[in-house]
Amino acid sequence: MVYPRTIYQTEYIYRDIVQKNKRWGLGLSAGYGIGRNGLSPILAVTVNYNLFQW
């Protein structure tokens, strides 16, 4: 029996992914704050809003 010749073809599809600039974000901040015991180190979760984008 004779089988037909197998041809392999590879195609690459490139998509231009447009990233939307994020205005809102979630971050982690560290610093010092004033509390009952005077200055003490703090670690806080912050919500950020970007006024300017470039």
Side-chain angles (χ1 to χ4, degrees):
M1 297 186 81
V2 177
Y3 293 100
R5 187 173 167 193
T6 304
I7 299 174
Y8 296 98
Q9 181 176 354
T10 304
E11 293 183 14
Y12 294 100
I13 301 173
Y14 294 99
R15 294 183 184 171
D16 291 334
I17 299 173
V18 178
Q19 289 185 343
K20 199 165 121 179
N21 291 337
K22 295 182 187 177
R23 284 269 187 200
W24 291 95
L26 195 62
L28 191 63
S29 296
Y32 276 91
I34 299 176
R36 290 184 228 174
N37 300 331
L39 278 175
S40 61
I42 61 166
L43 188 63
V45 176
T46 59
V47 177
N48 306 314
Y49 181 77
N50 294 323
L51 294 175
F52 305 105
Q53 295 180 353
W54 55 82

